[in-house]
Amino acid sequence: MEQKEILSKVDHTLLAQTATWEEIKVICDDAVAYQTASVCIPPSYVKQAAEYLGDKMPVCTVIGFPNGYNTTAVKVFETADAVMNGAEEIDMVINLGWVKEGRYDLVKEEIQAVKKACGGKLLKVIIETCLLTEEEKIRMCRTVTESDAEYIKTSTGFSTHGATIDDVKLMREHTGSDKKVKAAGGISSFADGEAFVKLGADRLGTSRLVKAAKAQQ
């Protein structure tokens, strides 16, 4: 695959706790220059980034990040606020405790509530695969398939590890064909990106591929 094709599937990401507006502006500029799918940034910068970018690049942000144990009401408020501020895409973290308790009904209800707050904007559901058993991953694939979310996503990148080949294979196998898959965390090279795309990942959450492209110039 050409690098341009892989970059077109990248959510160019900066979610570090210490991220400054000057750093966010740089990744916004790079996302436009390298024609990524979106720029994924902290909620506090969404309004500035949306105003800065205009219609040049969709702004993606994260909800209930990175632990997912906020109440549903908080996640709904965060989502509505982000959309009001100009977010076009929302990546939410599920309540992992509910998964451990087998409360997939509550997980689905929360996804649906957040999706409603998206107001038609794209929703990706982060299931944090590194903290789940194989059966829990499969059940979450089914839960997201039954929901109105557009994507299932592997990882926050803030836990024990990010996307793996096996997890993306599992997601593609057990998630409905109308749902898309986002691999995130630990994608450090174009070879990694191509491997995930060939397995069925529709999006890649990473900061490293744009950096790699810049380094080649």
Side-chain angles (χ1 to χ4, degrees), residues 5-103:
E5 183 180 356
I6 297 170
L7 287 167
S8 72
K9 299 179 184 296
V10 167
D11 290 340
H12 188 36
T13 304
L14 177 57
L15 296 170
Q17 297 95 324
T18 57
T20 66
W21 171 238
E22 289 305 313
E23 291 169 329
I24 297 293
K25 278 202 298 185
V26 170
I27 74 156
C28 288
D29 292 339
D30 287 346
V32 173
Y34 290 92
Q35 298 182 300
T36 63
S38 78
V39 58
C40 187
I41 60 174
S44 58
Y45 291 116
V46 166
K47 185 173 174 60
Q48 283 174 283
E51 291 172 352
Y52 180 72
L53 287 165
D55 61 0
K56 292 184 286 187
M57 178 63 51
V59 175
C60 172
T61 196
V62 289
I63 301 299
F65 194 88
N67 296 313
Y69 48 35
N70 314 61
T71 65
T72 298
V74 168
K75 291 180 184 177
V76 166
F77 177 86
E78 281 188 291
T79 302
D81 183 60
V83 169
M84 182 180 67
N85 286 332
E88 294 290 334
E89 302 187 7
I90 298 294
D91 289 20
M92 69 167 286
V93 185
I94 62 165
N95 187 313
L96 292 150
W98 288 347
V99 173
K100 296 299 178 183
E101 292 175 342
R103 297 304 309 272

